[in-house]
Amino acid sequence: MFKMLACKRLNCFIKHRAQVWTLAQRKVTTWSPVGAAFNSKPQRRLDVFQDNVGLFGVPELSSPAGFEVATKRVLKDTQLLVDKTCHSPPGAATVEYFDQLSDGLCKVADLADFVKVAHPDPLFREAAEKTCIEIGTVVEKLNTNVELSTSLKDLLNSPDILNQLDHDTRRVAELFMFDFEISGIHLEEKLRKEAVALHVKLLDLNNEFLMGSHLPNRIAKSAIPEHLHLHFAKEGSFIQIGGLHADSPDDLLREIAYRIFLYPNGQMLDCLEELLKCRNKLAKLVGYESYAHRALKGTMAKSPKAVMDFLELLTDKLKDKTAKDFKMMTDMKKKLNPRNSELMAWDHPYFSAVLRAERFNIEPSLYSPYFSLGACMEGLNNLFSQLFGVSLMSDQPSAGEVWSEDVRKLAVVHETEGLLGYIYCDFFHRTDKPHQDCHFTIRGGRRCQATGDYQLPVVVLMLSLPHPTKSAPTLLTPGMMENLFHEMGHAMHSMLGRTRYQHVTGTRCATDFAEVPSILMEYFANDYRVVSQFARHYQTGQSLPQSMVARLCESKKVCGAADIQLQVFYAALDQVYHGEPQNRSTTELLKDKQHQFYGLPYTPSTAWQLRFSHLIGYGAKYYSYLMSRAVASMVWKQCFLKDPLNRDMGERYRREMLAHGGAKEPMLMVEGMLQRRPTMEELVDALVSDLNPNFETFIMDSES
């Protein structure tokens, strides 16, 4: 029922004078205020009299002990709201009460969910973890509270009352009811208790699998050639192998890392088998054919059959391109290592990168001076201003509001609507910080019925960028720049929605739709008309040459079919694992699907699935990235390719896709944007056509 997704007044904005980076050559570049803010070290005001306002301005969270205070308060408020909901007549107010319940719990749980992984102080992390467990336990109880579900069922079973509800209220009521049903609320007491027990067991299995999927494997030093020891961590007479070393030019090193890191662990195999059995049992208990059927309800795909049709059609249309890619990689391996020329699974990432570099001379260090962090943020600000009339404005955090001195705070301001929300930018690498780019919802937007005010959304974007140096600002590689645009796509999805209910705010929508806005931003990040507005050398002010942007874009197409096919294999395996049980081991299923959907041979005595941590968060929905990319590709080509800075199209994009969060069926939002419903074949064709070479690139290459 209550989805704990990673869920003030406007302070005085810092008014920056345009700041500069001055180097020995005395060449300078002037940035706009938002660009200057990110190309300089944060200036914290020292005010000994300023009170600690607490993390994100929550007063209790000025210390770790505040989590206990905040938890007790929200649980007390929750009980009062539950009583109020259960004893009120069915109507629109019922849905409002449910959303208030969800909002109150999410505001504490989502914040704690972020703090437990990102705060540098272990005491804060431990307190946040405890809060997550406490609120999670309460949520499980609420999801099986018969009296609470009955109040919602009475509403949905009353046609006269239901017909009086607006579309959003009715949809949110149905979504809350769906959350009850997948928890087994409709079952008789004995079966309901069994469903609760399965939920609890799955929580433990999920955690066990997630933790185990990242643990290194170890092997005796004597089993590894001595000249390779320096590449691995040592533990007495053993060597620890904690990754695939996929980028290494040493064939033997890649092979050894692959074979040992993926060597099957019996306990983990048992954990995965039990996890999949429990998921299937729970799905069937609550009335679904399989866990995949349960997971895909409400998505764009709708059903496991539609997902597999999509993956099979994509495989068929990529077949010739994929074969060509693998042949190019094989030829390159023959050229570099004639004695061992068979292309294996551990070769794919390395040789595809070699081919890109050889064909297009893509060296990240040539691009980075043009992609200072300030320049990229300036580019995002310009893009949002032109598409939506929105500005990113640097805001000074109060004492205790942020968890690290290098966290920046942005206010998102619309030219006529005013303040839309806040984005906290936790962009820089630090010890114990997760090395992954992600978006966290700290507080969802919602219309407060009692006051008429809008609760402003608050999100965090977390990256792991290098710190600026004395002589230069933070410089991004092209990949880092694209990731920044991607994550900012999620943030603007959260900011530009104005949903009535926080249960469906921003990215709280179907998984295969949630990635569309972020992937669409990658298309903007690779269009020279957009890039030329901000990519300029931090020393000289020179713009990034168009030919360099074109080569970068074309380089991504090299071995692109093989890269997509690898994702198809992962997605197909995910579907098979969560479909009807086949009485075969997860490794046997992997071997079959690798042969059917990938092409490179399975390596005996390996179990890649034990490192597939996405099985936990994306169970039966790993295909979402491919389908979201297909939709984003169609939106880009039909709506933005001709003019990526068209304000009318930007407004349509906000109105049809970003504004609704999860309050509207995802495919209806796509249909509204494209003004037609795309077929499965059109979605596949959009992905395949992205791989076609751009003739203009070769003209520019010959001229440069």
Side-chain angles (χ1 to χ4, degrees):
M1 179 181 65
F2 305 108
K3 300 173 185 174
M4 294 189 292
L5 303 178
C7 50
K8 332 186 178 159
R9 291 179 318 182
L10 181 57
N11 295 327
C12 254
F13 296 127
I14 305 175
K15 295 181 179 177
H16 292 278
R17 291 186 177 184
Q19 299 179 36
V20 298
W21 284 93
T22 307
L23 300 180
Q25 299 92 334
R26 303 187 65 81
K27 295 176 181 177
V28 300
T29 298
T30 303
W31 306 102
S32 68
V34 73
F38 281 86
N39 266 358
S40 60
K41 292 186 177 180
Q43 301 297 316
R44 297 287 186 238
R45 293 182 303 218
L46 295 176
D47 185 349
V48 295
F49 300 107
Q50 189 178 36
D51 292 335
N52 186 322
V53 300
L55 290 173
F56 298 102
V58 179
E60 295 92 337
L61 300 185
S62 57
S63 71
F67 271 105
E68 185 176 356
V69 176
T71 303
K72 285 181 178 178
R73 187 193 70 243
V74 74
L75 295 185
K76 180 180 178 182
D77 292 345
T78 294
Q79 190 54 55
L80 291 173
L81 264 173
V82 168
D83 293 340
K84 189 174 184 179
T85 306
C86 292
H87 296 95
S88 297
T94 305
V95 183
E96 172 64 20
Y97 294 151
F98 269 86
D99 197 60
Q100 286 180 33
L101 275 169
S102 179
D103 182 51
L105 290 165
C106 283
K107 276 194 282 195
V108 178
D110 287 348
L111 192 158
D113 197 47
F114 167 73
V115 171
K116 76 177 184 181
V117 298
H119 203 289
D121 185 343
L123 295 178
F124 265 100
R125 295 199 300 268
E126 290 166 15
E129 174 70 27
K130 185 178 179 183
T131 286
C132 288
I133 293 170
E134 285 189 55
I135 293 185
T137 302
V138 170
V139 168
E140 288 298 324
K141 290 179 180 177
L142 291 175
N143 284 342
T144 54
N145 184 315
V146 175
E147 191 177 7
L148 192 61
S149 72
T150 300
S151 67
L152 193 62
K153 190 181 295 184
D154 289 344
L155 168 67
L156 293 170
N157 289 340
S158 303
D160 292 342
I161 299 174
L162 205 57
N163 290 335
Q164 295 174 20
L165 302 181
D166 61 80
H167 173 271
D168 286 4
T169 302
R170 182 169 181 165
R171 176 165 171 81
V172 170
E174 290 168 348
L175 289 172
F176 276 123
M177 197 68 233
F178 170 68
D179 290 338
F180 272 126
E181 288 171 353
I182 62 175
S183 296
I185 197 72
H186 55 293
L187 303 173
E188 61 182 54
E189 187 175 0
K190 181 182 176 183
L191 294 178
R192 190 165 64 248
K193 287 182 177 178
E194 185 179 347
V196 171
L198 284 169
H199 271 292
V200 172
K201 185 175 182 180
L202 278 170
L203 286 175
D204 291 337
L205 288 168
N206 289 346
N207 287 333
E208 181 183 344
F209 186 80
L210 272 178
M211 290 179 63
S213 67
H214 298 294
L215 291 177
N217 276 342
R218 66 177 194 165
I219 191 169
K221 285 181 181 179
S222 57
I224 302 291
E226 190 172 347
H227 73 280
L228 296 180
H229 288 188
L230 60 92
H231 296 285
F232 306 112
K234 298 174 182 62
E235 182 189 350
S237 60
F238 291 91
I239 278 177
Q240 286 192 344
I241 298 183
L244 294 173
H245 292 258
D247 298 329
S248 172
D250 189 314
D251 289 353
L252 182 59
L253 176 61
R254 292 197 309 276
E255 179 178 355
I256 286 173
Y258 188 94
R259 289 182 181 276
I260 298 173
F261 185 61
L262 300 184
Y263 190 80
N265 175 299
Q267 186 175 339
M268 282 289 288
L269 284 170
D270 291 343
C271 175
L272 179 57
E273 296 276 6
E274 187 63 22
L275 188 155
L276 296 175
K277 285 179 184 176
C278 282
R279 283 182 169 179
N280 182 67
K281 188 174 182 180
L282 177 61
K284 291 197 168 181
L285 189 63
V286 298
Y288 290 89
E289 289 181 49
S290 70
Y291 186 84
H293 285 85
R294 175 182 181 266
L296 295 173
K297 183 173 180 179
T299 62
M300 286 195 292
K302 298 289 189 188
S303 71
K305 182 181 184 306
V307 173
M308 290 306 296
D309 287 347
F310 172 69
L311 298 176
E312 288 169 357
L313 183 59
L314 182 54
T315 297
D316 185 59
K317 294 209 171 192
L318 282 175
K319 184 166 53 179
D320 292 342
K321 291 178 183 289
T322 303
K324 183 179 177 182
D325 286 354
F326 283 139
K327 184 179 186 306
M328 286 195 303
M329 289 185 231
T330 300
D331 291 344
M332 178 58 72
K333 188 173 183 180
K334 283 180 183 177
K335 178 181 174 183
L336 297 179
N337 188 355
R339 292 179 300 176
N340 184 18
S341 59
E342 184 182 6
L343 192 70
M344 304 299 290
W346 53 80
D347 294 322
H348 178 162
Y350 175 70
F351 285 108
S352 59
V354 169
L355 286 164
R356 290 185 189 107
E358 180 183 70
R359 187 165 298 187
F360 289 100
N361 189 27
I362 302 301
E363 171 53 53
S365 64
L366 298 176
Y367 288 82
S368 292
Y370 297 92
F371 293 142
S372 69
L373 179 56
C376 295
M377 294 303 295
E378 192 169 289
L380 286 163
N381 186 48
N382 291 340
L383 177 62
F384 297 147
S385 176
Q386 291 172 86
L387 285 181
F388 310 120
V390 163
S391 297
L392 305 175
M393 304 183 73
S394 183
D395 192 19
Q396 179 70 47
S398 299
E401 187 178 346
V402 296
W403 48 100
S404 179
E405 281 295 300
D406 55 18
V407 173
R408 314 297 177 89
K409 181 183 179 184
L410 292 175
V412 181
V413 183
H414 189 272
E415 59 191 14
T416 59
E417 298 170 35
L419 181 62
L420 298 181
Y422 293 103
I423 303 171
Y424 290 83
C425 301
D426 187 357
F427 282 172
F428 300 104
H429 170 81
R430 66 176 175 271
T431 306
D432 294 332
K433 178 181 174 181
H435 288 221
Q436 59 191 63
D437 300 340
C438 39
H439 161 273
F440 291 85
T441 297
I442 302 300
R443 184 176 72 200
R446 71 183 295 268
R447 178 71 58 192
C448 302
Q449 299 301 310
T451 64
D453 295 331
Y454 198 82
Q455 175 175 286
L456 298 177
V458 175
V459 304
V460 173
L461 294 189
M462 192 162 72
L463 309 175
S464 288
L465 303 178
H467 288 271
T469 66
K470 290 181 179 180
S471 59
T474 291
L475 302 178
L476 279 61
T477 64
M480 290 175 183
M481 182 273 284
E482 189 175 279
N483 287 349
L484 172 61
F485 270 64
H486 178 103
E487 297 303 332
M488 192 60 80
H490 285 308
M492 294 309 290
H493 195 181
S494 296
M495 294 294 118
L496 290 172
R498 274 296 179 267
T499 53
R500 179 175 173 182
Y501 300 102
Q502 76 82 38
H503 191 65
V504 291
T505 188
T507 56
R508 292 178 180 172
C509 55
T511 307
D512 56 3
F513 182 82
E515 291 296 328
V516 173
S518 54
I519 292 173
L520 182 61
M521 283 294 292
E522 295 176 22
Y523 286 89
F524 285 101
N526 287 287
D527 189 283
Y528 184 71
R529 292 163 294 180
V530 176
V531 175
S532 62
Q533 291 199 334
F534 70 89
R536 56 191 192 275
H537 201 286
Y538 76 98
Q539 292 172 282
T540 67
Q542 176 189 0
S543 294
L544 180 64
Q546 185 173 1
S547 60
M548 287 181 68
V549 176
R551 286 202 302 273
L552 182 64
C553 293
E554 290 304 300
S555 73
K556 295 174 184 177
K557 299 175 184 178
V558 176
C559 299
D563 292 344
I564 292 176
Q565 197 59 55
L566 181 59
Q567 294 301 311
V568 171
F569 159 49
Y570 295 161
L573 184 66
D574 177 43
Q575 287 298 306
V576 170
Y577 281 168
H578 291 100
E580 188 67 29
Q582 299 186 23
N583 298 317
R584 302 172 68 196
S585 73
T586 56
T587 301
E588 289 173 322
L589 292 172
L590 179 142
K591 186 176 179 180
D592 278 359
K593 293 305 156 189
Q594 184 165 336
H595 175 74
Q596 181 182 355
F597 285 102
Y598 187 28
L600 295 186
Y602 165 77
T603 303
S605 298
T606 62
W608 175 85
Q609 73 273 24
L610 302 183
R611 303 296 182 179
F612 193 14
S613 59
H614 282 300
L615 286 172
I616 302 304
Y618 285 82
K621 292 187 283 191
Y622 189 78
Y623 76 94
S624 294
Y625 285 102
L626 288 169
M627 187 162 283
S628 291
R629 184 165 292 279
V631 171
S633 176
M634 290 192 70
V635 170
W636 171 256
K637 290 166 187 167
Q638 182 175 316
C639 304
F640 291 107
L641 180 59
K642 185 177 180 181
D643 179 5
L645 303 172
N646 184 288
R647 177 65 180 269
D648 290 338
M649 199 56 72
E651 293 293 347
R652 182 164 120 192
Y653 175 46
R654 181 186 181 186
R655 182 177 64 250
E656 297 293 345
M657 295 186 77
L658 299 179
H660 305 286
K664 192 174 181 180
E665 282 280 345
M667 193 52 82
L668 288 178
M669 291 189 272
V670 175
E671 188 175 345
M673 187 67 197
L674 298 176
Q675 299 185 335
R676 63 190 174 87
R677 181 169 293 227
T679 65
M680 192 68 74
E681 187 154 3
E682 286 175 325
L683 290 171
V684 167
D685 287 342
L687 280 175
V688 176
S689 66
D690 276 352
L691 300 173
N692 295 332
N694 186 344
F695 182 65
E696 293 178 5
T697 302
F698 301 106
I699 294 176
M700 283 185 286
D701 276 348
S702 63
E703 293 175 347
S704 59

